């Protein structure tokens, strides 16, 4: 019972401390949100994605009837084809064709290849701070990749079903998300400091503290006066 009572009293003290510092809490939260917004809007470089879709077939004759087993096999080939697309055989040729001032490793970091919902469709994505640059590189990849894949695998084929797109909106930074995250960090930081101050405060500040910590009855209180007026 004593432990439960102390826990309730501690929680009350914490809530009281939060109310006392409510303006500070609001100010810091808004200031943190403003910092997050400003950093995202003016300091971070926007990134754009350009994507294209390719479908994987296990047979080079794409006009022939396709069975479910062939579809399953094609789905499994997506991971193999993804590795080939991101290999230096493809990307170095893209660099040479476009005359890019990048190394293979640098371009590789900007390219992602993934299956779409575990299907035989691959999504090739190129990210850059220039939407047109990303589109050109993505377009060149889907131009070079099919012939390289056919030569390497010697079976099956890939076909472009969606050309490289030109992004109109950046994919990062997410200004709204960053602003809310910064506000949450500011809020939690102030709450943490307030809670820490309450937990570390072992001073006798009020008559209630005398009863709580010393288990003694308060007989009287001497008020504090400041310049002739009662302060507290």
């Amino acid at each position: 019972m004593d432990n439960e009572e102390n826990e309730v009293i501690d929680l009350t003290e914490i809530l009281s401390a939060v109310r006392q510092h409510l303006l500070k809490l609001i100010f810091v939260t808004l200031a943190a949100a403003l910092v997050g917004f400003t950093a995202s809007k003016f300091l971070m470089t926007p990134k754009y994605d350009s994507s294209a879709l390719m479908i994987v077939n296990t047979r080079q004759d794409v006009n022939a009837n396709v069975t479910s087993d062939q579809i399953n096999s094609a789905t499994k080939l997506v991971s193999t084809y993804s590795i080939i697309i991101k290999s230096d055989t493809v990307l170095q040729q893209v660099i040479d064709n476009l005359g890019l001032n990048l190394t293979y490793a640098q371009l590789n970091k900007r390219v992602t290849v993934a299956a779409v919902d575990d299907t035989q469709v691959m999504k090739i994505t190129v990210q850059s701070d220039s939407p047109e640059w990303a589109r050109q590189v993505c377009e060149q990849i889907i131009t070079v990749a099919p012939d390289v894949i056919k030569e390497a695998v010697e079976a099956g084929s890939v076909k472009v079903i969606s050309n490289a797109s030109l992004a109109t909106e950046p994919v990062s930074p997410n200004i709204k998300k960053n602003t809310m995250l910064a506000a949450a960090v500011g809020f939690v930081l102030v709450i943490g400091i307030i809670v820490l101050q309450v937990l570390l405060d072992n001073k006798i500040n009020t008559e209630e503290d005398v009863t709580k910590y010393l288990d003694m009855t308060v007989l009287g209180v001497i008020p504090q006066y400041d310049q002739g007026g009662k302060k507290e």
Side-chain angles (χ1 to χ4, degrees), residues 95-107:
I95 292 173
D96 295 340
N97 291 348
L98 295 178
L100 303 179
N101 188 24
L102 290 175
T103 64
Y104 159 72
Q106 290 172 329
L107 181 58

Side-chain angles (χ1 to χ4, degrees), residues 112-221:
T112 57
V113 184
V116 179
D117 298 329
D118 295 326
T119 64
Q120 62 191 111
V121 177
M122 290 187 303
K123 184 177 183 180
I124 297 92
T125 303
V126 179
Q127 187 172 96
S128 172
D129 54 3
S130 168
E132 178 58 28
W133 188 94
R135 187 199 65 80
Q136 291 180 2
V137 173
C138 188
E139 191 72 34
Q140 188 64 212
I141 289 175
I142 63 176
T143 300
V144 172
D147 292 337
V148 175
I149 290 174
K150 290 178 184 177
E151 182 178 352
V153 180
E154 297 182 352
S157 64
V158 289
K159 181 179 180 181
V160 177
I161 58 176
S162 176
N163 291 321
S165 59
L166 180 64
T168 57
E169 296 291 336
V171 294
S172 69
N174 189 325
I175 298 178
K176 182 178 180 181
K177 179 180 178 181
N178 291 348
T179 301
M180 295 179 64
L181 182 61
V185 170
F187 179 86
V188 172
L189 181 62
V190 175
I191 292 294
I193 294 175
I194 292 174
V195 172
L196 188 61
Q197 287 177 341
V198 171
L199 295 178
L200 296 179
D201 185 11
N202 57 0
K203 295 181 296 183
I204 303 299
N205 298 308
T206 65
E207 54 267 32
E208 288 81 7
D209 292 341
V210 175
T211 304
K212 175 182 176 182
Y213 296 112
L214 303 180
D215 194 21
M216 299 174 65
T217 303
V218 178
L219 299 179
V221 177

Side-chain angles (χ1 to χ4, degrees), residues 7-27:
E7 288 179 3
V8 173
I9 293 175
D10 291 341
L11 180 59
T12 302
E13 289 180 348
I14 291 173
L15 292 177
S16 177
V18 170
R19 285 195 295 268
Q20 292 176 5
H21 297 86
L22 185 59
L23 291 179
K24 183 184 296 183
L25 177 62
I26 295 174
F27 175 78

